[in-house]
Amino acid sequence: MAFAIILIGQKNEVKTMSNALSNISISSASTGLSKYVTNQWLGIHARSCGFIQRRGNLNPVKFVSALITAVGTPQKRDTIQAMVTEYNCQATKGEQICYKPLHNRLHREECVTFMATLVGRLQERVFTCSRRADADQLLERLQDNGIFIDDIYLHDGTYWKINENFAGKYPATRSAKKAELIEDTYEPDGSPAMKEAKFAQMGLQTTFSMKTGTITKICVTSATANETEYVRHGNGKRILHFMDAGYGSFSLLKQMDERGDHFITKLKSNSAAVIETATIDGSDFTDLFKGKKLTCKEFRTFRIKDHVDLTVNLSDGSHYRVIRFYSKKEHQARNFVTNLFAKEISPKTICSLYKIRWQIELLFKELKSGSNLTGVNTRVENIMLVMLFASLAAHFLKQLVAGDVTTLNGCRSSLYRLSVYSSTWLRNYIKAVFSGDLQTIKQIIKKLADAKSCFEQVKQSHLKHEAMKTLTSVYCYLFKSLDTKGFKKTTIEA
C-alpha cells in the first residue's frame, strides 16, 4: 500500500506525494531497510527530484542523517542550527556547511519533494515488515461472525503549533494567547480597544491501520478544516472504521455504507435520530420508545447504566444500529452508531471494539513526545514541511527498530520508550542503515534487546485489565465474545 501525504495548498490545491553477533537472528526489518534505502538510492533520488543539481559540498546521505537525527531526537531542539551542528559532526573537513547555505537548501521545493519521497519509502518498508498477530486474530473472529473485513482503520486528527504568521493559511481551532490591550485606544462604545492575538496550528488528519500497526495516510490541513473530508477508504479493501464524534457526519456514514465498509463512531449528543426498535438484555422495549428521538429525556434517563440496543432512522433516511451506553467519565448516557447489524455482535462487544480507537491517541503521544512532532517556529512553509517529514521518518525508523527488538526478545517492546530514549542509539542506527553496515545494525538491536527491562511494555495493573483499559484486555474479551468455533486459547488469552 502506498503512503500518501496530502498537502493542502493556499488555493485549496491538493498535491499528493507518495511515494557472537554473526549468530544473532533478527527480523529483516532493519537489515532489509539498509538494502531498500541505500546511499546510492538517496543520491540518485536527490538528483532526479532536483534537490542536488550539480556537484557540491552537500552530501545528501549525511544531510538526511543529520536532519532526521536533529529533528527526531526528543532531547534536541529542532532548529536549523541543530541540523548544521549535526551535519558538521558527520561531515569531513571539506564537506562542512554554514547556517545560511543549509537554510537555503531547506527553503527549496525540491527538498520537500525529496523528504516526502523518503518518508514514503520508509513507510513502505514498515508495511512490508509489520504485521499485528492480535489484529489478524480479531479479523478472523469477526469473519466467523459474518463480518468480512480486511483491516481496521482508526481516524483522528492532531494539531501542530506553528509560527503565528501562518494564521491566515492555517488558522487555529482555539487560541492559547489572550487579546492584548491597545493603549490610549477605545472602541465606539468607550471600552478599551483590544488587539486579537494571532495563533496558527497545522492539522494532521491521520489514518492508522491496526493490521500493520502503522500510519497509512496523513493529510496536512489547517486546524479548522473539516476532518470528515479526509477519511481514507480502503481502495477495494473492506474496512471497519473507528472514529470519534467529530466524524459523525451522516453523509460520510452513508458513503461508507454504500462502499460496503463498516463503521463504529460516536453520535453527537444533539443528533436527530428516531427510534424504531429498542431492546435491553434481550427484553423488548420498542412499544415504549418507538417514534421518539434519541434526545428525548425520557429515553436518555431510562435505566441509564444499561446498554440499550436500538435501530434508528437518521434525518437523511439512513437506517442504522445505535448502542446507548453509560459513560463513567461524563456521568451520562452516550450513543455509538454502527452498521454492524449482526446479532452475534452484542452491544457490549460494540463498545469493546470501539476501545481499540485509543491506539491512535497513543500514536500521537509517541509522535509528539518521542519524535518531536510538537511544533516548529519558522516563517518558511517549506522548512516547516521538511521538519514534519523528518519527524515522520524518525518515527518509521523507530518503529522498525521496535519490531526487531520485539522479535529478538519474544515480548512486545515499547515504541514510546524506545523513542523517548532514542538519543542513545538513533544517530548510529541511521548512519549504519544508510551505509549498509549490517554489523553495526545488529550490535545496536542486540544492545537494545539486552536492555529488556528498559524498553519492554510496562505491565498494567489487574484493575486496568478488569476495567478493559488495556489493549490486551480488550482483545481478550473480544476473542471470547466472538468465539463461535471453540478456538484454542490465543497467546493473549493465555
Side-chain angles (χ1 to χ4, degrees):
M1 180 181 295
F3 177 66
I5 297 179
I6 311 297
L7 306 180
I8 307 304
Q10 195 165 9
K11 297 181 180 179
N12 295 324
E13 298 173 353
V14 179
K15 304 176 185 177
T16 305
M17 299 183 181
S18 300
N19 11 270
L21 285 175
S22 59
N23 296 323
I24 294 178
S25 176
I26 66 175
S27 81
S28 60
S30 294
T31 54
L33 178 65
S34 64
K35 300 174 183 178
Y36 197 68
V37 184
T38 62
N39 53 5
Q40 291 88 353
W41 180 87
L42 286 170
I44 292 171
H45 177 61
R47 287 172 174 80
S48 66
C49 71
F51 178 58
I52 301 294
Q53 296 179 342
R54 61 181 184 274
R55 295 195 64 178
N57 291 333
L58 187 70
N59 184 313
V61 179
K62 292 175 182 177
F63 168 79
V64 169
S65 178
L67 183 59
I68 297 175
T69 302
V71 176
T73 305
Q75 287 78 9
K76 291 181 177 287
R77 293 186 63 190
D78 51 347
T79 61
I80 297 177
Q81 185 57 54
M83 298 175 205
V84 172
T85 303
E86 188 64 43
Y87 181 89
N88 289 337
C89 286
Q90 300 183 28
T92 59
K93 187 175 181 180
E95 292 178 331
Q96 291 184 343
I97 196 169
C98 296
Y99 180 96
K100 188 62 178 176
L102 185 63
H103 180 277
N104 292 340
R105 293 278 187 170
L106 295 169
H107 193 288
R108 293 170 56 188
E109 189 76 29
E110 293 81 4
C111 186
V112 179
T113 305
F114 177 54
M115 289 302 299
T117 308
L118 172 63
V119 170
R121 187 89 167 174
L122 292 174
Q123 198 270 351
E124 287 174 8
R125 184 62 190 169
V126 174
F127 252 91
T128 303
C129 300
S130 298
R131 190 80 176 191
R132 297 289 296 269
D134 44 13
D136 283 336
Q137 292 168 12
L138 177 58
L139 294 175
E140 183 182 351
R141 299 289 173 95
L142 288 170
Q143 288 173 5
D144 292 331
N145 286 271
I147 309 299
F148 297 98
I149 56 173
D150 301 307
D151 202 350
I152 296 173
Y153 279 180
L154 316 180
H155 305 278
D156 205 356
T158 187
Y159 303 115
W160 204 39
K161 183 182 176 182
I162 55 179
N163 190 281
E164 63 182 24
N165 287 338
F166 292 107
K169 185 174 181 179
Y170 297 101
T173 54
R174 52 192 175 272
S175 177
K177 297 182 179 179
K178 295 181 179 179
E180 299 176 357
L181 179 66
I182 304 176
E183 294 184 4
D184 301 326
T185 308
Y186 299 92
E187 299 290 352
D189 61 358
S191 60
M194 306 293 288
K195 180 182 178 182
E196 186 177 349
K198 291 183 179 180
F199 193 58
Q201 286 178 320
M202 178 182 283
L204 304 176
Q205 311 301 336
T206 308
T207 300
F208 181 85
S209 165
M210 283 300 297
K211 193 171 184 176
T212 58
T214 191
I215 301 168
T216 64
K217 186 185 76 168
I218 288 181
C219 292
V220 179
T221 70
S222 71
T224 56
N226 183 359
E227 53 197 3
T228 62
E229 297 177 3
Y230 306 100
V231 173
R232 179 171 188 166
H233 56 79
N235 292 326
K237 292 185 177 181
R238 295 163 298 183
I239 304 297
L240 173 57
H241 301 269
F242 294 156
M243 305 163 287
D244 64 15
Y247 292 83
S249 164
F250 293 167
S251 60
L252 174 62
L253 302 184
K254 193 170 184 177
Q255 290 172 17
M256 290 181 174
D257 201 24
E258 291 173 348
R259 284 199 306 264
D261 287 355
H262 296 287
F263 58 82
I264 302 175
T265 184
K266 281 185 178 179
L267 266 181
K268 294 180 180 179
S269 56
N270 61 348
S271 295
V274 179
I275 299 172
E276 279 195 345
T277 64
T279 59
I280 301 177
D281 295 330
S283 300
D284 192 354
F285 288 86
T286 301
D287 292 340
L288 191 59
F289 297 113
K290 185 173 183 179
K292 294 184 178 179
K293 293 184 177 181
L294 291 178
T295 53
C296 170
K297 184 176 180 180
E298 181 184 353
F299 168 72
R300 287 190 290 108
T301 57
F302 181 80
R303 293 175 61 170
I304 192 170
K305 294 192 176 182
D306 287 341
H307 287 93
V308 184
D309 196 349
L310 308 159
T311 56
V312 302
N313 281 323
L314 300 183
S315 57
D316 66 348
S318 302
H319 181 73
Y320 296 125
R321 183 183 185 185
V322 168
I323 306 299
R324 196 201 73 182
F325 67 98
Y326 180 72
S327 171
K328 293 181 180 179
K329 182 179 179 180
E330 301 175 28
H331 303 290
Q332 62 178 340
R334 296 297 301 273
N335 299 306
F336 288 130
V337 61
T338 180
N339 59 350
L340 294 172
F341 285 101
K343 293 181 180 179
E344 295 81 3
I345 312 297
S346 68
K348 189 175 180 181
T349 301
I350 296 287
C351 295
S352 300
L353 280 168
Y354 187 79
K355 289 177 181 286
I356 295 174
R357 198 202 69 83
W358 191 250
Q359 296 307 300
I360 198 170
E361 302 291 353
L362 297 181
L363 166 71
F364 293 150
K365 177 183 177 183
E366 189 281 324
L367 285 173
K368 291 182 177 182
S369 300
S371 297
N372 256 3
L373 197 65
T374 52
V376 62
N377 189 27
T378 177
R379 298 183 181 185
V380 182
E381 185 173 13
N382 283 345
I383 295 178
M384 179 174 66
L385 293 172
V386 167
M387 290 185 174
L388 168 63
F389 295 143
S391 289
L392 291 173
H395 165 74
F396 289 130
L397 288 169
K398 293 169 186 177
Q399 192 169 3
L400 290 170
V401 171
D404 284 339
V405 174
T406 295
T407 301
L408 199 57
N409 279 337
C411 60
R412 187 172 293 282
S413 59
S414 169
L415 174 59
Y416 176 77
R417 285 186 163 195
L418 280 166
S419 298
V420 169
Y421 299 109
S422 59
S423 59
T424 59
W425 58 268
L426 184 61
R427 176 193 288 113
N428 293 335
Y429 176 78
I430 293 173
K431 288 170 65 177
V433 165
F434 292 149
S435 63
D437 186 352
L438 300 183
Q439 186 74 3
T440 300
I441 291 174
K442 288 184 178 182
Q443 288 177 343
I444 293 170
I445 300 298
K446 179 67 166 56
K447 286 181 180 179
L448 294 174
D450 288 343
K452 182 177 178 181
S453 59
C454 297
F455 299 118
E456 69 176 343
Q457 285 189 347
V458 177
K459 293 181 179 179
Q460 302 294 330
S461 68
H462 289 293
L463 293 176
K464 282 195 172 183
H465 284 298
E466 290 171 1
M468 285 202 295
K469 291 185 176 181
T470 66
L471 184 61
T472 301
S473 59
V474 170
Y475 273 132
C476 186
Y477 172 80
L478 290 172
F479 292 159
K480 290 179 180 178
S481 66
L482 296 170
D483 188 358
T484 60
K485 295 184 178 180
F487 283 94
K488 292 182 180 179
K489 279 189 175 182
T490 63
T491 305
I492 289 178
E493 290 173 301

